[in-house]
Amino acid sequence: MAAAHEHLADSADEAPIPFRQAVEALRAARLRPEIEIDPTPAPKRLAPFAYALEAAVVERGAGPDGEDRDLADGRLVVLHNPAGDETWQGTFRVVTLARAELEPEMGTDPLLPEVSWSWLTGALDARGVHYGAPSGTVTRAGSYYFGGLAAREPATQIEIRASWTPAEGPGGVPDLAAHLSAWCDLLCQVAGLPPAPLDMTTRGGIVPLPQRRGAQPR
């Protein structure tokens, strides 16, 4: 497993202690080696304090010339309002995006949106994290190629946008390491990777996520 990027601890000194501790806790996440993760500029108008990460699931040497190939990518944003937010039902909110290209046969599955949402809730439940007020959308888009690109096979992309309120622990600090790990599990799920053993300190053993319908070995 790979630790989250060292710069995850960067946050403004004037930020509230619970927010700083929550961001620092992201460094404790133990992620699969296929995950590459880095800080990215956070939105400034959604909450008084925010922190953002971007991640990709990378297949090493899978490109036509031996270069690495991204199988899925996404963004995770942590929002914090010390005064609380009625819509969030808490002082923290996790906002995420996960997207990937799917196998052609999956693109026509009428149950794909429902199954895709279950990948998210399954990832959170498998990590044993506590959360509330989940919401989101699942978007499926098809690409067809013509003219000079006609030789390409049709492609289907899926995009899962979701947000939820992480339960706050001692001192009002949520366990964002577990939430980050669950989100990365979701990225690996949409990328078509098989389940991996969960961190033994989280729940122990191997807890498989709901399998991607029709996924084929890459």
Side-chain angles (χ1 to χ4, degrees):
M1 298 290 180
H5 197 280
E6 286 298 317
H7 292 302
L8 293 181
D10 293 344
S11 59
D13 291 339
E14 65 272 16
I17 291 176
F19 177 74
R20 299 206 316 257
Q21 291 179 342
V23 171
E24 179 68 24
L26 292 173
R27 299 184 65 192
R30 306 302 299 178
L31 308 178
R32 293 178 61 159
E34 297 92 344
I35 294 285
E36 290 189 355
I37 191 164
D38 280 297
T40 190
K44 299 182 181 298
R45 298 181 181 180
L46 298 180
F49 303 95
Y51 190 83
L53 300 169
E54 58 185 7
V57 180
V58 179
E59 187 176 23
R60 309 295 180 188
D65 297 319
E67 70 273 16
D68 295 344
R69 182 166 68 100
D70 288 357
L71 302 179
D73 64 82
R75 194 168 189 248
L76 182 145
V77 179
V78 177
L79 305 176
H80 179 54
N81 185 346
D85 187 287
E86 183 177 351
T87 303
W88 301 352
Q89 302 175 25
T91 63
F92 282 88
R93 189 73 171 172
V94 177
V95 182
T96 66
L97 162 69
R99 58 194 173 193
E101 184 170 314
L102 302 178
E103 290 81 8
E105 61 270 21
M106 290 187 65
T108 59
D109 189 339
L111 296 179
L112 179 63
E114 290 81 3
V115 172
S116 300
W117 185 255
S118 76
W119 296 339
L120 170 63
T121 57
L124 292 168
D125 293 343
R127 288 284 173 180
V129 300
H130 299 287
Y131 63 97
S135 63
T137 62
V138 176
T139 303
R140 169 173 46 190
S143 297
Y144 300 86
Y145 301 95
F146 302 92
L149 301 177
R152 293 189 182 183
E153 295 291 330
T156 299
Q157 296 81 32
I158 189 170
E159 181 178 275
I160 304 171
R161 293 181 179 268
S163 63
W164 62 89
T165 298
E168 297 172 14
V173 182
D175 182 7
L176 290 188
H179 289 265
L180 174 62
S181 295
W183 177 69
C184 288
D185 290 341
L186 169 66
L187 282 180
C188 290
Q189 186 81 1
V190 299
L193 299 184
L198 297 184
D199 183 82
M200 299 301 289
T201 64
T202 303
R203 290 192 61 180
I206 298 176
V207 182
L209 300 178
Q211 287 300 293
R212 201 168 101 168
R213 297 170 64 89
Q216 300 294 325
R218 293 182 181 270

